[in-house]
Amino acid sequence: KEILIMRDSREGRAAVVEDGALTEILIAREERQVGSIYKARVANVLPGMNAAFVDIGSDRNAFLCADDAAMHLGEEASERIGKLSIRDILRVNDETLVQVVKEAVGTKGARVTTFVTLPGRNMVLIPSANYVGVSRRVESESERVRLRAMADKLRPEGMGLIMRTAASGRTLEELQKETDFLFGQWEKIQRISRKRRAPAIIHQELALVDQILRDVLTPDCDRMLDRKSVV
């Protein structure tokens, strides 16, 4: 298994090669928006579109539809998703924590959601959910049952936890350390959010190489090549 990386000042590109075959390509801006968390201020509420535009401190306001605006409300709103009006959720000048799910393109601002997720190497913590899940790529049924049982033990009260493929074969102690780290990260995000006035960035998503180190670089990797190109 090899990981090949090429970077310049604007973009990073990575290829994962296993047994000589290309299995994955990753392309990302070096300063990523997707995954980053902001404290946003509602700039406009548009009932006709059932959406709002929120100021996250970028050149263009971000787009937040009603369903995404209600996602952080958890189970109390889950049965009403698709029926909620944006006016029932947000008002102009309200402040809310959002996460970017789609980069700004051209004249369009980023798309954001209030459904925050915090990914780790082995799991994803979902602060506003209340369930556990296991990656579909874990094919062994016995391992799926084991991981689901551990997720039930590990998840902080009132939060959700999804086990990623990399969690296969990991011990409870290993996964407990990562759960504690992600929970601590969420507490830090909340502390920073309480101190800062919107619009403000609260949590910056990792750059490409750091993301690879977290998600892709595993003990079965034989070589990683990182080259910076000159533009």
Side-chain angles (χ1 to χ4, degrees):
K1 180 177 178 179
E2 295 179 306
I3 300 172
L4 311 176
I5 301 169
M6 175 73 78
R7 292 183 288 159
D8 57 37
S9 60
R10 296 179 301 170
E11 188 177 79
R13 299 163 294 280
V16 180
V17 180
E18 296 186 35
D19 297 325
L22 178 66
T23 60
E24 191 172 1
I25 293 178
L26 303 170
I27 301 175
R29 294 178 183 175
E30 281 300 291
E31 292 186 3
R32 288 174 57 85
Q33 252 195 322
V34 171
S36 296
I37 299 170
Y38 296 81
K39 188 174 185 179
R41 175 177 287 109
V42 179
N44 303 96
V45 175
L46 306 174
M49 296 176 63
N50 206 21
F53 283 99
V54 298
D55 183 2
I56 60 174
S58 299
D59 294 337
R60 297 177 296 280
N61 289 338
F63 180 79
L64 176 63
C65 70
D67 288 352
D68 285 332
M71 290 296 287
H72 72 293
L73 300 177
E75 293 182 359
E76 63 184 88
S78 61
E79 296 180 359
R80 300 172 61 197
I81 293 294
K83 302 176 182 178
L84 288 168
S85 168
I86 191 67
R87 289 181 294 188
D88 298 328
I89 308 168
L90 294 173
R91 296 180 180 180
V92 173
N93 289 326
D94 280 354
E95 295 184 350
T96 184
L97 207 63
V98 298
Q99 187 170 36
V100 176
V101 294
K102 187 176 181 180
E103 296 270 0
V105 179
T107 59
K108 293 184 178 180
R111 180 163 181 169
V112 296
T113 180
T114 60
F115 191 66
V116 173
T117 60
L118 297 176
R121 178 187 286 266
N122 300 299
M123 63 187 66
V124 179
L125 180 68
I126 311 175
S128 60
N130 193 22
Y131 59 82
V132 299
V134 178
S135 168
R136 294 179 181 178
R137 294 176 66 182
V138 179
E139 298 178 354
S140 168
E141 186 58 32
S142 61
E143 182 64 4
R144 293 182 65 85
V145 171
R146 187 183 79 93
L147 290 176
R148 186 176 293 274
M150 286 199 295
D152 271 324
K153 292 180 181 179
L154 292 169
R155 71 183 180 97
E157 185 176 354
M159 297 187 182
L161 203 61
I162 296 177
M163 292 297 189
R164 307 181 72 174
T165 309
S168 296
R170 301 294 182 185
T171 66
L172 182 64
E173 290 74 19
E174 289 176 307
L175 297 176
Q176 180 69 67
K177 290 180 181 179
E178 187 164 317
T179 305
D180 293 343
F181 171 78
L182 293 175
F183 182 69
Q185 192 175 55
W186 174 240
E187 289 189 317
K188 181 180 178 181
I189 288 170
Q190 290 183 302
R191 286 197 304 270
I192 295 173
S193 178
R194 286 193 291 267
K195 294 178 181 178
R196 293 185 182 175
R197 298 182 61 183
I201 185 165
I202 305 300
H203 173 75
Q204 178 73 55
E205 176 58 302
L206 298 175
L208 179 69
V209 174
D210 296 317
Q211 187 182 10
I212 288 171
L213 293 176
R214 180 189 69 193
D215 299 339
V216 183
L217 186 61
T218 53
D220 63 339
C221 182
D222 300 296
R223 183 172 64 154
M224 183 173 82
L225 299 178
D226 182 7
R227 177 183 174 187
K228 289 187 178 181
S229 59
V230 178
V231 178

